[in-house]
Every structure is written in structure tokens, then in C-alpha cells.
Amino acid sequence: MTVAAESPGTPAPASSAPAPASSEAGPAVAVAPVAGPASLPSPAARVRSIGGSPVRDILAVTARPEVINFAGGLPAPELFDRAGVAAAFRHALEETPSQALQYATTEGEPSLRERLAARTAARGLPTTADDLLVTTGSQQALSLLATALVDPGDTVLVEAPCYLAALQVFGLAGARIVAVPGDADGPDPEALADLVVRERPKLLYTVPTFQNPTGRTLPTERRAAVAGVAARHGLWIVEDDPYGELRYDGERVPWIAAHPDARDRTILLGSFSKVMAPGLRLGWLRAPDEVRRACVVAKQAADLHTPTVNQLAAARYLTAFDLDAHVTRVAAVYRERRDAMLAGLPDALPAGSVWTRPEGGMFLWVRLPGSYDTTALLPRVVAQDVAYVPGAPFYAGEPDRSTLRLCFVTQTPDEIAEGLRRLRRGLTG
């Protein structure tokens, strides 16, 4: 955007120029006209073109306590282990205050990385502390990868629909974002192979387990096929796994990163946000040496290191408390809430609607009949004191405007039932 600035050197008309000042003590002194401040340069084009997060905008609109909010991906705060986390912070501050309050290495506190490596290895992916970089939330890990791997104009492949903040990250990096066609099980491996040959992308970004926004999970066979495409054609896979521990039904599906074809070309992202507390802002990435070192450089430029006291508290929590047992307790509550939402949807949605039935995670995905536009309908629904996220912003390409995302973990079953009654009133007018 070109901004016209006033020229500070333009003289005033002669008739309006101030008279020279004079005194008996010396010569007259000319007084220059006072100019206004010059206009400032505009923000970077990449920021203007991306804009903000529609989810964050909705949360701001629906912050009223009477609103039943199915829009945010917020863990249930009453389930946080407040006592355990507080004890872990006390230990860090009382036993190691000089370390906890000091600068730390960019890679992350060794004690935390060692415990994270042990948890990862116990789940089938051999990992050492040196394989890991601790980040300020897994969102930062994604941003660091975009900085390390993506040049402006590079092609990045994503799912359809895709995690919204990933679209923001890659868009901000100047990437050309292309959606891989797929079905209820996720990206189609044949379509992926065709796109890799035609587009020569840098990476594929995927949330294969309890995906945000759909809740779907890629089956084992499809994960193997995706790994095979990456091996044959040369492709980085960014496997984001913030929800994988929140399983309610079925058997755990191994990471793509654990597949032999993908071990040298998959970056695995993890987070404490959904299993411990999002306010800790603790995530991590596991990556091959070259990529991890590049991300370390990018992180040094971003924030030097993730807060030391948070890392030491998390390491203490993993030592003194049973995170797996805590996750099991949380998952049992979330399972009830998922079931409450699934039970109420048939009466809440118009005839002809369809929705996913996730085996875990936090979200389910709804498609209304084609005549519905969930973006246009949202103000009418919010007027009933309930909210969802329209599906359109989750698409890199042409959106399906009849879709929407619902989060089922934040409210109790009774609140979910009432929220769905309000949703029905909003959708039916």
C-alpha cells in the first residue's frame, strides 16, 4: 500500500508566512513553518495478507460467561492437576532457584529432554535427548520448521481441511499451500504421489491422529503408504501429534515417524498443552540432525530458549508424578463428553447432516446440507449464546461452506446438551 506523505519542506504561501522576528540586540531570525509528522511505513505485506485467526476472533466475541463455547480447542480447566503442577514449580524454585531463574541452552533443559526421550522411546520410537528440541509450545515448533525449511514461493502440501494455525504459519513464510485430496481416512496416497511429482513440494504437514479439525485418524496402512511416497520421491513429513494420548476407543496407531521408510524424513511434534496444561507453553520437536540444527538457529533468533522454570517444573512433574495416570483420568471424562455430544447431535442438526465419530482427541466435524453456509449462520447462532467454528477457514483451497467444527471437551455433559439445544434454535431460526 502506497501512503502519501506530506512534504516537510514545502513553504507556506508568501501571504501567510510569519514575519521575521527582530530585536534591538541583533538581526532578524526567520522562523520555519511547523510541519506535521510524516506517515510511518506500512506493516510487512506477509502480515497484511495473512490476517488473524478466525478462532481467536470468535473466542473474543464469545467471551461472555453465558455463552456455551464449542468453538475453542480449550482443555477443561477443572481437570488440570493444579496441585501437582504447583508442587513441581515449588520444587524448581526452592531446590534449584539459580538454575530455574537463569538463561538456559536453546536446545532445552537436559533433564526435560531426557524424560521426553524416554516417553517417546516407550511408545515405539527410539529417541535420545539429543534428538529433541524443546519449544515454546508446539506452535513454535511449526513456526521454526517453516523458517528452517520453507523459502518464499516453495510449495507445502497440507490436508483438506487442515489445522488453521498451520495455514497461518506457512502463509506467513510465503509458501504456496496446496491441499492433498482425501477422504474420511485422510489424504489419498495416490493423489499425494501425483502432487509430489507435479509440484515438487518441500514438505507435507499432517495431524494423523485425532486431527484438528475433523477428529479423524489415518489408518496404519495409509500411514505406511504416505511414508512410502516420501521415501520414493523425497519429501519431508511434519507429523503433528498434540492429541494422540487422548484416546477413548480402539488401539493406538504407530507414528508415521516410526515407519522404516519415514524415519530419516519425518519431524515429529509433541506438546504438553492437551495433557498437562496449555499455559506452560511447552512443546518439542524430534527431527533428523540437519533440520534440528537449523531449527535451533531459528529459535535463537526468535526467543533464545523456552522459559527455564517451566522446563524444570515439567521435568520434575514427570519424575514425581504419573502423567500417564493423569491422562487416563482426563480421557475418561472427555470420553463422557464426546459421547454426550454424539448423542445430542441427531436432534440438534438439520436432516441430512453428517458428522465424524472420533476415537479420541477434542473435536468432531459436521457437514450440514449443501444449502447451509456456516459462516453466514454464525451470528444467528451466537445470538443463542452458543458458538462453533465455521469450516471455511480450515481449507487451503476451495472451502466447503456447509462444514463446522465442534469442541466437546470443555463443557460438562449437561452443558453440552443445553448448548446443542441452543445450536438447534440458531440453525433453524
Side-chain angles (χ1 to χ4, degrees):
M1 179 175 68
T2 301
V3 180
E6 296 182 4
S7 172
T10 302
S15 60
S16 62
S22 64
S23 72
E24 294 181 357
V29 178
V31 179
V34 177
S39 299
L40 293 171
S42 299
R46 60 180 175 270
V47 177
R48 299 199 308 272
S49 65
I50 299 303
S53 165
V55 175
R56 295 288 166 178
D57 294 341
I58 292 170
L59 290 178
V61 171
T62 60
R64 294 175 287 120
E66 65 270 24
V67 174
I68 295 177
N69 199 335
F70 298 143
L74 306 178
E78 70 274 16
L79 299 178
F80 296 153
D81 183 4
R82 302 172 190 177
V85 172
F89 270 94
R90 279 196 303 272
H91 184 275
L93 290 168
E94 293 174 359
E95 299 300 323
T96 56
S98 297
Q99 182 183 5
L101 300 176
Q102 186 57 277
Y103 285 114
T105 61
T106 301
E107 291 81 357
E109 283 296 327
S111 60
L112 178 58
R113 286 190 289 136
E114 288 165 5
R115 286 159 180 78
L116 290 172
R119 284 177 60 81
T120 304
R123 285 160 173 77
L125 182 58
T127 302
T128 69
D130 289 339
D131 296 323
L132 301 174
L133 168 64
V134 177
T135 59
T136 308
S138 63
Q139 185 66 31
Q140 187 192 50
L142 192 55
S143 181
L144 297 177
L145 285 168
T147 300
L149 294 178
V150 179
D151 290 314
D154 283 345
T155 298
V156 168
L157 301 182
V158 300
E159 300 167 306
C162 177
Y163 172 47
L164 179 58
L167 297 179
Q168 282 186 294
V169 165
F170 296 129
L172 199 62
R176 178 172 173 267
I177 305 172
V178 177
V180 181
D183 54 24
D185 286 334
D188 177 1
E190 292 186 6
L192 171 63
D194 291 342
L195 281 173
V196 172
V197 171
R198 185 168 74 245
E199 304 289 348
R200 306 308 303 171
K202 281 287 185 73
L203 62 89
L204 166 69
Y205 172 77
T206 177
V207 185
T209 306
F210 314 138
Q211 192 231 19
N212 180 358
T214 64
R216 70 191 177 198
T217 295
L218 266 67
T220 301
E221 302 78 20
R222 187 162 295 197
R223 295 178 188 224
V226 168
V229 171
R232 291 193 304 275
H233 298 289
L235 178 71
W236 288 110
I237 300 173
V238 178
E239 180 177 10
D240 201 352
D241 187 39
Y243 312 104
E245 294 189 58
L246 298 174
R247 175 170 285 280
Y248 318 135
D249 303 319
E251 298 297 323
R252 182 181 178 275
V253 184
W255 287 306
I256 297 173
H259 195 280
D261 285 343
R263 286 182 178 173
D264 66 342
R265 61 199 62 221
T266 300
I267 302 108
L268 178 66
L269 311 187
S271 174
F272 281 138
S273 291
K274 307 306 187 291
V275 297
M276 192 180 293
L280 293 174
R281 304 311 303 135
L282 284 175
W284 57 91
L285 65 82
R286 179 194 184 277
D289 290 346
E290 178 185 9
V291 173
R292 191 183 63 259
R293 286 195 297 267
C295 287
V296 168
V297 173
K299 183 170 172 61
Q300 288 170 349
D303 67 353
L304 300 183
H305 65 87
T306 296
T308 314
V309 64
N310 294 19
Q311 294 187 62
L312 292 176
R316 174 62 181 176
Y317 190 95
L318 293 176
T319 301
F321 299 92
D322 189 340
L323 179 59
D324 291 336
H326 172 69
V327 172
T328 297
R329 290 190 294 270
V330 171
V333 176
Y334 286 178
R335 180 187 298 111
E336 293 179 354
R337 298 180 180 189
R338 178 206 60 180
D339 292 346
M341 182 165 281
L342 289 173
L345 283 177
D347 291 333
L349 301 178
S353 300
V354 294
W355 54 89
T356 57
R357 295 178 174 270
E359 293 183 334
M362 300 174 64
F363 307 106
L364 57 82
W365 186 246
V366 175
R367 179 174 288 106
L368 304 180
S371 60
Y372 287 80
D373 183 329
T374 60
T375 301
L377 281 169
L378 183 59
R380 198 167 80 187
V381 170
V382 171
Q384 298 295 326
D385 290 332
V386 67
Y388 58 74
V389 182
F394 293 96
Y395 287 90
E398 184 65 26
D400 183 343
R401 297 190 176 277
S402 68
T403 56
L404 61 93
R405 189 193 75 177
L406 297 172
C407 176
F408 54 79
V409 303
T410 314
Q411 281 78 31
T412 66
D414 287 344
E415 290 169 337
I416 288 171
E418 173 58 26
L420 291 177
R421 285 190 287 269
R422 298 179 189 181
L423 179 61
R424 179 176 181 174
R425 291 197 298 269
L427 294 176
T428 59

